[in-house]
Amino acid sequence: MGKMRAARLHEPGKPFQIDAIEIPEPRPGDVLVKVKTCGIIPNMNAIVSGKYWHHLPPLPAVIGLDAAGVVVGAPKGCPNVGEGDRVYVNPFLNCGQCYYCGSGTAMLCSDAALRGYFGFTPRGAKLLEDYPIGGLSEYLTASPHHLVKLPAEVSFEQGARFGYLGTSFAALRRAGAGTGSWIAIHGITGTLGVGAVLLSMAMGVTRILGWGRNRDVLGQLRTIAPNRIDTLALGDEPLKDWVRKRTDGVGVDVLIDCTGRGGPAAPVAEAIDCLKRGGVMVNIGALAEPLALNPTQFMTGALQYRGSNWFTNAEAALMAEMVRVGALDLSPLKPRVYPLEQVNRALADITERPGGFQNFVVTPE
Ligand SMILES: [Zn+2]
């Protein structure tokens, strides 16, 4: 079919190389997508370092987690997608065979993988052989079941952010956040945190509190909705006191923890005291340090601590619909677009922690 350019990881921890490789041939029933954008996220450097538990695809591998593009080849009679459709390619791959897949709970698949990124287990990494092309390429193939249609109101740059937006969205939904909720976001200034704020606004959350370290971003967040959003620079005041002053003395219904792998657990433990009785804390940042919990506090306060990993296609479609009708405003996200040839530059720049309003995107065009 001809050649295309793709950013490939040849050796963990080394820069990507731009290689000319064959345009992939779709498997039976699959579609060919011309990639317009692929998101670059803060955790990507850690994953491709190969230093952690994640199971990388066979190398050299075309990396790239969240791609958006246009369908340029679809099988005849494909009911839900056709040529010319603008799509987000959901990178979540489930095995289809384990207990969870067989029970209709594919999001809990014990051997899942994220295309262009890693497998959660060695068997999960095998799924990457069926879909070996990540988003940092000119074309990729996908099952129609992995595609989420994007209306014209969702830009390709915004589509490339759907992975992290969807992660925050699913966590808010699992925690029951909505009209009347008071929520707090631990790590509000990062990619997940800023997304959680925009989605909370769209979901009707009444009070959005949060803290982080980047004072510029904290200030920007407040300007989105000064009556609903309030922020604190971590360390300026004890979290519990600050939150209770803003919640009639009782605390928040939902605490979203966006602390990433390298972050400290101690402030997260402190944040638990910000929960209202009956409140829910959700971990989406993949905090790696052990967290000290007081089980008696959880029993007597009927608290919940849970995790939330990724999101369903239906949730991604719902986000797209929320943008289309104007309920979800993604305009505060500022695209920072790099050509494919500068992907290593994008990965270096994102380590400087520019804050979650910056939307790092690579385009092969
Ligand atoms: Zn499975």
Side-chain angles (χ1 to χ4, degrees):
M1 287 184 66
K3 297 271 189 182
M4 67 173 185
R5 290 170 301 129
R8 292 202 298 179
L9 180 71
H10 287 250
E11 194 181 334
K14 293 280 162 60
F16 294 154
Q17 296 178 26
I18 307 299
D19 296 330
I21 61 172
E22 296 291 326
I23 294 174
E25 186 75 41
R27 287 146 43 95
D30 283 356
V31 303
L32 186 67
V33 176
K34 187 172 196 317
V35 178
K36 294 281 188 181
T37 55
C38 181
I40 295 287
I41 41 175
N43 202 32
M44 189 168 267
N45 283 294
I47 301 295
V48 299
S49 76
K51 289 181 184 165
Y52 301 97
W53 58 264
H54 314 83
H55 301 273
L56 292 176
L59 302 180
V62 182
I63 303 296
L65 179 64
D66 284 306
V70 177
V71 175
V72 292
K76 281 202 171 31
C78 189
N80 58 342
V81 65
E83 288 178 18
D85 284 346
R86 305 169 79 251
V87 292
Y88 164 68
V89 184
N90 188 341
F92 187 85
L93 302 172
N94 64 293
C95 78
Q97 292 169 18
C98 71
Y99 167 84
Y100 301 97
C101 287
S103 307
T105 51
M107 291 308 299
L108 299 177
C109 175
S110 51
D111 288 304
L114 291 170
R115 165 219 281 272
Y117 217 33
F118 65 85
F120 289 90
T121 63
R123 276 172 46 176
K126 294 283 284 178
L127 300 176
L128 300 170
E129 294 173 15
D130 290 342
Y131 294 101
I133 308 290
L136 293 169
S137 59
E138 290 185 270
Y139 295 91
L140 53 75
T141 63
S143 159
H145 304 296
H146 297 153
L147 301 182
V148 177
K149 279 194 206 172
L150 297 178
E153 291 81 0
V154 179
S155 70
F156 288 118
E157 288 83 4
Q158 292 166 345
R161 182 73 176 251
F162 262 38
Y164 268 44
L165 287 167
T167 296
S168 297
F169 186 41
L172 290 162
R173 283 164 57 91
R174 308 283 181 275
T179 308
S181 300
W182 292 337
I183 76 161
I185 302 166
H186 186 94
I188 197 169
T189 55
T191 308
L192 287 169
V194 169
V197 170
L198 301 180
L199 286 152
S200 296
M201 294 284 296
M203 294 165 79
V205 169
T206 311
R207 206 75 218 281
I208 303 163
L209 307 175
W211 42 89
R213 296 185 197 278
N214 186 327
R215 288 178 191 270
D216 290 344
V217 177
L218 291 170
Q220 284 179 58
L221 283 162
R222 287 193 297 273
T223 63
I224 293 175
N227 293 331
R228 285 169 73 185
I229 301 172
D230 206 352
T231 60
L232 174 73
L234 206 53
D236 276 5
E237 194 177 333
L239 296 176
K240 180 179 174 182
D241 297 349
W242 184 81
V243 166
R244 297 211 172 216
K245 271 185 226 161
R246 286 157 180 79
T247 53
D248 294 350
V250 295
V252 291
D253 302 280
V254 175
L255 172 65
I256 304 289
D257 178 20
C258 304
T259 311
R261 167 199 330 284
V268 182
E270 184 191 341
I272 294 170
D273 291 335
C274 301
L275 279 172
K276 200 179 188 176
R277 295 171 70 78
V280 186
M281 175 174 179
V282 188
N283 167 22
I284 52 172
L287 170 70
E289 270 194 8
L291 177 64
L293 298 179
N294 176 353
T296 305
Q297 178 189 15
F298 274 70
M299 187 209 88
T300 58
L303 303 181
Q304 295 178 56
Y305 179 87
R306 62 162 298 168
S308 179
N309 186 20
W310 214 244
F311 51 90
T312 65
N313 264 6
E315 285 168 327
L318 184 50
M319 288 195 304
E321 175 70 356
M322 288 160 73
V323 175
R324 190 184 70 79
V325 301
L328 173 58
D329 179 10
L330 297 181
S331 66
L333 302 178
K334 300 302 171 212
R336 210 157 136 179
V337 183
Y338 296 75
L340 184 63
E341 284 68 21
Q342 287 185 23
V343 60
N344 294 307
R345 173 78 181 278
L347 280 163
D349 288 352
I350 207 164
T351 61
E352 288 165 19
R353 295 183 163 273
F357 286 106
Q358 299 286 320
N359 187 23
F360 279 68
V361 168
V362 165
T363 177
E365 297 196 318

